[in-house]
């Protein structure tokens, strides 16, 4: 993953991670974070370090000897020790006396495996540098191997190319299972190893595209500096734009260009969010001046690829319970387009595609029963890998949103202490908890529903838009970053992205009333009941997205409300809090 410590010292049964700053007399914040990150990375992803005591050490060779206190965290990772060139012997001697869960032997430690679970940003950077998905993802038997899914898609593409066929495949996965990672891997590997395919990753998720492209461009400029090559930011941005694109820019380009597309392989992320005929028609008429546009977005996009005279492959990544916006077509529009207009295309689908979490409409279920559709088990990613600490997080969240206390309690118990989830009625306490949990450069942030209008008295302004590039990528010294816990991201900002530690702020738009969820929207100066079943699904999915963003743990803030404010009386919040507590979520002490 591009992280490489200067030196590892395994002695006295302890792992010392040492970073040298030669010629320096100061211990700057970035260097301290760097050595802390190396140590946490080993603890989380290196098998030989899981039960080890790990001591991060920063040595500034021109610094005077600094007194130190050896403080171990609950997981056995010490707070970073800053010393001069002569302090290492004293540190090793003092560390030898501390109690530890397990002593480490050098040969066993060195021989054990490294199985990272990168953030989507880290993964995109690694894949863009021509690494393979197997090099950057877990491969243990307990996790569904991304390799199987990637191999199956590669096989479908290869067959289509060899036999001059046009194919479309539908990949499903639970939140955080690696659908986007699989899609990026396909786009990167086909572009790198197969000439003239010009594979591209397309997403209608604006913040995701913005953040990924900015991260890739920044990384390319930085790698150029390291290699002695001067690369301008504009040149870097131009190059990465061929790899990751906004689906709407792709669509608009081929609205005016009737030729065969440049791309033979396209990956559509969150394909169920493509627009219905009605939504696409309204947009085209209002924004593009096309009064007679009468296609759904899936029908138009398949039509673009169908212009190829020889072969092409479309890969549709379908998230479970991810539709969060008006006019999103779901799976049905893709299937109807294939059935009605592109019947010569070969269709490959995940065996889980008929599950209610992926196929909302009954007509889509009927279409999936067609004998022309080939089903594959390995086109489904069943285990969440976003949180390397809690594979069953999505099961817990689904039970909560189903209102099932018993199942939620059981799922939460299976998470154990590895993935802390806490409740609080005090926002300041939630922020303190987040700041206290995060170490090194682990990213914290506040999230809330886009309908959480009455969190404003608590200081949470969901109408104040974040700058995604700054919020997700800038460091803890930047007030625009997520670390400051001032600007809050909504489901639209954060879908497809992630934090290490999240503060999830719960408003009265989704509230528990007598054992069932009640759906509300704030209009003007009061709450109104949401009657539309589709909009109710959107609201549940918004909370599903928000509750599955944290890799390592989260705290849920439910306000107390205010008797004097008719828009947020305590009754709007108390039952929700009691329900979550009944699901087994402990209160922050």
């Amino acid at each position: 993953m591009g992280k490489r410590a200067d030196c590892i010292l395994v002695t006295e049964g302890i792992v010392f991670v040492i970073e040298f700053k030669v010629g320096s007399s100061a211990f700057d914040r970035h260097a301290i974070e760097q050595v802390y990150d190396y140590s946490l990375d080993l603890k989380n992803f290196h098998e030989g370090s899981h039960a080890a005591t790990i001591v991060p050490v920063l040595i500034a060779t021109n610094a005077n000897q600094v007194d130190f206190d050896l403080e171990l965290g609950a997981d056995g990772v010490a707070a970073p020790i800053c010393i001069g060139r002569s302090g290492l012997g004293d540190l090793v001697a003092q560390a030898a006396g501390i109690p530890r869960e397990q002593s480490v032997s050098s040969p066993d430690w060195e021989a054990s495996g490294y199985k990272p679970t990168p953030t989507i940003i880290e993964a995109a950077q690694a894949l863009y540098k021509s690494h393979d998905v197997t090099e950057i993802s877990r491969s243990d038997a307990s996790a569904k191997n991304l390799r199987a899914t990637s191999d199956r898609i590669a096989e479908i593409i290869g067959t289509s190319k060899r036999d001059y066929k046009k194919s479309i495949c539908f990949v499903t996965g639970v939140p955080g299972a690696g659908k986007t990672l699989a899609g990026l891997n396909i786009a990167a590997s086909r572009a790198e190893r197969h000439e003239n395919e010009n594979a591209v990753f397309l997403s209608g998720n604006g913040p995701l595209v913005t953040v990924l492209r900015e991260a890739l461009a920044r990384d390319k400029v930085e790698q150029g500096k390291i290699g002695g090559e001067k690369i301008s930011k504009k040149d870097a941005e131009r190059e990465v734009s061929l790899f990751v694109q906004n689906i709407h820019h792709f669509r608009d380009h081929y609205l005016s260009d009737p030729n065969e597309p440049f791309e033979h392989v396209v990956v559509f992320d969150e394909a169920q969010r493509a627009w219905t005929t009605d939504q696409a028609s309204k947009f085209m008429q209002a924004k593009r001046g096309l009064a007679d546009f009468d296609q759904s977005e899936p029908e138009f996009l398949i039509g673009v690829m169908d212009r190829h005279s020889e072969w092409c492959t479309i890969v549709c990544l379908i998230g479970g319970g991810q539709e969060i916006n008006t006019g999103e077509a779901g799976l049905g529009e893709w299937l109807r387009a294939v059935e009605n207009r592109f019947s010569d295309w070969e269709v490959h689908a995940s065996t889980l595609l008929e599950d209610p979490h992926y196929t909302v409409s009954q007509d889509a279920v009927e279409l999936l029963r067609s004998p022309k559709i080939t089903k594959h088990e390995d086109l489904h990613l069943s285990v969440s890998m976003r949180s390397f600490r809690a594979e069953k997080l999505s099961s817990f969240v689904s039970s909560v949103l189903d209102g099932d206390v018993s199942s939620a309690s059981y799922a939460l118990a299976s998470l154990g202490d590895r993935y802390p989830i806490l409740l609080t009625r005090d926002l300041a306490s939630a922020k303190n908890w987040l700041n206290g949990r995060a170490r090194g450069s682990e990213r914290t942030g506040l999230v809330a529903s886009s309908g959480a209008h009455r969190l404003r008295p608590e200081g949470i302004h969901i109408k104040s838009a974040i700058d995604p590039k700054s919020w997700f990528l800038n460091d803890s010294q930047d007030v625009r970053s997520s670390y400051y816990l001032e600007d809050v991201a909504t489901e639209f900002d954060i879908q497809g992205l992630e934090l290490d530690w999240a503060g999830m702020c719960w408003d009265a738009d989704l509230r528990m009333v007598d054992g069932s969820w009640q759906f509300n929207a704030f209009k003007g100066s009061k709450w109104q009941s949401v009657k539309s079943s589709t909009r109710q699904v959107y609201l549940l999915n918004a909370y599903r997205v928000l509750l599955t963003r944290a890799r390592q743990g989260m705290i849920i803030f439910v306000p107390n409300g205010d008797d004097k404010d008719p828009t947020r009386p305590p009754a709007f919040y108390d039952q929700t809090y009691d329900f979550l507590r009944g699901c087994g979520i402990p209160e922050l002490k």
Side-chain angles (χ1 to χ4, degrees):
M1 295 308 304
K3 296 177 180 177
R4 184 171 295 147
D6 287 341
C7 177
I8 303 288
L9 172 65
V10 181
T11 184
E12 305 291 347
I14 296 173
V15 178
F16 295 87
V17 181
I18 305 172
E19 181 70 14
F20 290 96
K21 295 302 175 187
V22 178
S24 176
S25 59
F27 305 101
D28 67 77
R29 178 188 56 81
H30 180 266
I32 294 171
E33 271 188 8
Q34 184 181 15
V35 72
Y36 214 166
D37 284 346
Y38 290 153
S39 302
L40 294 167
D41 195 67
L42 285 172
K43 169 62 72 170
N44 291 328
F45 306 126
H46 179 244
E47 288 180 327
S49 300
H50 287 337
T53 296
I54 302 177
V55 181
V57 185
L58 177 61
I59 299 178
T61 60
N62 286 2
N64 294 323
Q65 177 60 35
V66 176
D67 293 333
F68 57 82
D69 292 313
L70 193 55
E71 299 176 9
L72 280 185
D75 61 354
V77 179
I81 302 294
C82 299
I83 54 176
R85 67 169 67 210
S86 61
L88 189 57
D90 291 342
L91 173 60
V92 171
Q94 182 174 323
I98 62 175
R100 47 192 176 276
E101 181 181 340
Q102 179 179 313
S103 288
V104 176
S105 73
S106 180
D108 290 344
W109 185 89
E110 192 172 1
S112 59
Y114 176 67
K115 298 173 180 176
T117 303
T119 67
I120 192 60
I121 292 168
E122 291 170 330
Q125 290 169 338
L127 291 170
Y128 191 64
K129 295 172 189 168
S130 302
H131 288 285
D132 189 80
V133 71
T134 54
E135 298 176 302
I136 62 168
S137 63
R138 290 169 42 197
S139 57
D140 49 303
S142 65
K144 173 72 176 177
N145 193 356
L146 270 169
R147 166 52 68 193
T149 303
S150 295
D151 284 350
R152 176 65 68 187
I153 297 170
E155 177 190 301
I156 292 167
I157 294 171
T159 301
S160 300
K161 187 175 183 178
R162 185 192 66 217
D163 298 339
Y164 298 102
K165 300 279 189 181
K166 293 170 184 174
S167 59
I168 184 168
C169 52
F170 297 96
V171 179
T172 57
V174 300
K179 298 181 299 297
T180 301
L181 179 56
L184 287 168
N185 181 58
I186 287 295
S189 62
R190 305 307 296 189
E192 176 70 21
R193 298 169 199 149
H194 302 269
E195 290 186 8
N196 303 320
E197 289 190 3
N198 306 312
V200 65
F201 178 87
L202 298 173
S203 176
N205 183 339
L208 175 66
V209 172
T210 297
V211 171
L212 286 181
R213 284 167 67 155
E214 177 71 10
L216 291 173
R218 289 186 188 185
D219 190 58
K220 189 165 184 62
V221 171
E222 188 59 33
Q223 294 303 314
K225 286 180 184 175
I226 293 171
E229 181 184 3
K230 187 174 181 180
I231 301 173
S232 75
K233 182 79 176 298
K234 280 192 174 181
D235 286 342
E237 289 170 345
R238 192 177 301 113
E239 183 178 317
V240 303
S241 68
L242 297 176
F243 175 49
V244 178
Q245 292 183 30
N246 189 302
I247 193 171
H248 299 133
H249 297 167
F250 177 90
R251 177 203 64 203
D252 289 353
H253 174 80
Y254 288 110
L255 272 171
S256 57
D257 181 353
N259 296 309
E260 275 192 19
F262 177 68
E263 303 82 3
H264 275 272
V265 177
V266 293
V267 180
F268 292 128
D269 191 35
E270 299 294 356
Q272 78 282 355
R273 298 186 65 191
W275 288 345
T276 60
T277 301
D278 187 50
Q279 182 72 13
S281 177
K282 286 178 182 175
F283 176 85
M284 292 300 182
Q285 184 170 336
K287 302 293 186 182
R288 299 291 181 267
L290 299 175
D292 57 348
F293 191 89
D294 62 350
Q295 301 177 62
S296 68
E297 212 167 30
E299 184 179 355
F300 176 77
L301 293 168
I302 299 174
V304 169
M305 297 304 291
D306 193 57
R307 297 175 192 174
H308 278 292
S309 57
E310 295 182 341
W311 74 277
C312 64
T313 299
I314 293 174
V315 180
C316 292
L317 308 176
I318 307 289
Q322 300 285 289
E323 298 92 340
I324 56 175
N325 209 351
T326 302
E328 292 180 352
L331 176 64
E333 292 286 1
W334 290 94
L335 296 172
R336 272 189 291 277
V338 173
E339 176 80 9
N340 297 333
R341 277 197 57 199
F342 308 104
S343 56
D344 58 325
W345 279 54
E346 293 189 344
V347 183
H348 301 265
S350 154
T351 51
L352 264 287
L353 207 55
E354 293 178 40
D355 186 282
H357 283 103
Y358 304 103
T359 307
V360 177
S361 61
Q362 187 56 40
D363 63 331
V365 173
E366 295 297 327
L367 288 167
L368 280 169
R369 292 174 182 156
S370 167
K372 294 191 293 185
I373 298 177
T374 306
K375 305 287 180 60
H376 305 271
E377 286 187 9
D378 45 18
L379 288 183
H380 176 68
L381 293 159
S382 60
V383 178
S384 176
M385 297 202 316
R386 170 171 297 124
S387 174
F388 50 89
R389 296 187 182 279
E391 294 170 349
K392 300 297 175 67
L393 177 63
S394 61
S395 298
F396 166 72
V397 171
S398 290
S399 296
V400 167
L401 296 178
D402 288 342
D404 189 336
V405 172
S406 177
S407 294
S409 299
Y410 178 79
L412 184 63
S414 73
L415 300 182
D417 296 330
R418 284 179 54 76
Y419 189 96
I421 302 177
L422 293 172
L423 271 173
T424 184
R425 309 298 298 261
D426 182 69
L427 183 59
S429 296
K431 290 181 178 181
N432 287 336
W433 184 84
L434 290 168
N435 288 327
R437 298 295 305 202
R439 297 175 294 176
S441 62
E442 291 176 347
R443 186 166 287 275
T444 59
L446 296 178
V447 298
S449 153
S450 58
H453 292 274
R454 295 314 295 147
L455 291 177
R456 185 168 181 174
E458 304 286 346
I460 296 170
H461 301 254
I462 54 97
K463 281 192 171 183
S464 180
I466 66 168
D467 170 23
K469 291 185 288 190
S470 301
W471 202 85
F472 284 104
L473 298 175
N474 291 6
D475 67 21
S476 59
Q477 304 306 296
D478 191 320
V479 297
R480 299 167 298 175
S481 74
S482 65
Y483 291 108
Y484 256 71
L485 305 178
E486 292 182 0
D487 296 328
V488 62
T490 71
E491 68 273 19
F492 299 114
D493 300 315
I494 205 167
Q495 189 174 38
L497 293 159
E498 58 220 340
L499 299 163
D500 286 295
W501 303 93
M504 197 276 161
C505 306
W506 203 300
D507 200 11
D509 51 342
L510 183 66
R511 66 183 85 143
M512 182 58 67
V513 178
D514 298 331
S516 299
W517 290 116
Q518 188 181 91
F519 307 90
N520 300 274
F522 194 77
K523 303 290 184 182
S525 61
K526 61 182 180 181
W527 292 103
Q528 295 179 0
S529 179
V530 172
K531 302 296 186 185
S532 163
S533 59
T534 301
R535 288 180 60 206
Q536 290 177 2
V537 169
Y538 289 159
L539 185 51
L540 279 177
N541 287 345
Y543 274 79
R544 190 185 317 276
V545 167
L546 298 170
L547 289 164
T548 55
R549 292 307 98 187
R551 285 161 57 83
Q552 300 198 53
M554 67 176 155
I555 187 163
I556 300 173
F557 161 61
V558 182
N560 284 305
D562 185 349
D563 277 325
K564 300 184 183 69
D565 185 343
T567 67
R568 52 190 192 97
F572 283 5
Y573 301 96
D574 289 347
Q575 286 193 48
T576 300
Y577 190 82
D578 291 341
F579 166 76
L580 294 171
R581 191 170 53 181
C583 290
I585 306 176
E587 296 176 282
L588 178 67
K589 301 301 182 186

